[in-house]
Amino acid sequence: MRGSEFSDMRAFVAIVEEGNFSRAAARLRISPSTLSQTIRQFEERIGAQLLIRTTRSMSVTEAGQRLFDRFRPALSEMEAALGEVRKLQGAVSGTVRMVLPRLALASLIEPHMGAFAQAFPDIHLELGINDAVIDIVGDGFDIGITLGELLEKDMIAVKMGPDLRQLAVASPDYLARCGTPQSPADLLTHNCINWRKPGSNKIYNWEFFDDGRWFNVAVNGTLTVSHRDTALQAAAQGAGIAFAYWSSQWMQPLIDAGKLVPLLEDYSPDFPGWYLYYARQHQTPAAVRAVIDFFRAANK
């Protein structure tokens, strides 16, 4: 097989696996138009139509499916062999795309980015910051980080860092003016800073625990934000009561400085926190495995 044919086959396999030219092009780091031309020329050379393309959809022909079924295992073996050679040479390389919420980035990834860069200088790590729940495969990511309760069942998941805790907090000035709530029900008479998850129209109901069960409180207020660090800053300025994850990056400094006071702590126990997750596949790329293993060890 000539080098150009191997590249063409890799491109074809990427398209079938991704089910979309744009995602396959992003994975191969080429433009969709270049990928389309590559496949068209490949079809002309082998004398068979492999894909049926319209402006809205794409499907695989019978010939294309047979080629994919025969070649995909061979490609996996070739890539695995190349990965083993790179390991022997001590150089793991490639692009790894990770998507995660802002707080997970700040607590799990940012403190270790320098060490990672020194350990793996040939890995291009691309970090996408997104507080919404997304389809990592469909959106072209290799790895995601999310809360354990949001994990999809068909993903491989690895616990990252300690358990989490959410707390209601307010400034001393606000509490002096409006009083201190003694139970979650008291929040209904306070000005609370609501949070709406990016990409969602639904306001988040605050979650508390009492008498062996979790329950929700739908609070009201004059401010709604899409990032909880913004809610904490607003609360520190006396705008109302915020509800956010306890974090050494955002909440603790404001509490230590006397700008925020924790509230209703007896109703806010710990719960399982962040998980790194990725799709099941026949062969995890060496660069993806290196990223997983590094940040898992760094956050034990």
Side-chain angles (χ1 to χ4, degrees), residues 83-210:
E84 291 297 327
V85 171
R86 292 191 185 103
K87 286 181 180 179
L88 290 174
Q89 298 301 317
V92 179
S93 63
T95 296
V96 179
R97 301 187 71 217
M98 177 191 294
V99 62
L100 68 172
R102 285 155 58 97
L103 180 56
L105 172 73
S107 58
L108 302 176
I109 305 301
E110 284 184 348
H112 312 291
M113 290 193 298
F116 178 83
Q118 293 182 33
F120 298 99
D122 295 320
I123 292 181
H124 178 159
L125 180 60
E126 182 178 334
L127 300 173
I129 315 307
N130 195 332
D131 288 320
V133 178
I134 70 166
D135 174 8
I136 63 168
V137 176
D139 289 325
F141 289 95
D142 302 294
I143 303 169
I145 295 180
T146 191
L147 295 175
E149 63 191 51
L150 301 178
L151 283 169
E152 296 184 14
K153 293 181 179 179
D154 60 346
M155 293 289 168
I156 299 175
V158 177
K159 184 78 163 63
M160 296 283 283
D163 289 346
L164 294 179
R165 188 185 192 193
Q166 290 196 103
L167 285 177
V169 289
S171 70
D173 174 66
Y174 175 87
L175 297 175
R177 287 186 286 110
C178 303
T180 301
Q182 300 301 313
S183 73
D186 293 343
L187 294 170
L188 299 176
T189 63
H190 281 268
N191 189 29
C192 296
I193 302 168
N194 267 307
W195 174 70
R196 178 186 285 117
K197 184 179 298 184
S200 171
N201 293 322
K202 185 179 180 181
I203 297 292
Y204 170 72
N205 292 336
W206 295 10
E207 297 176 88
F208 297 96
F209 187 87
D210 188 36

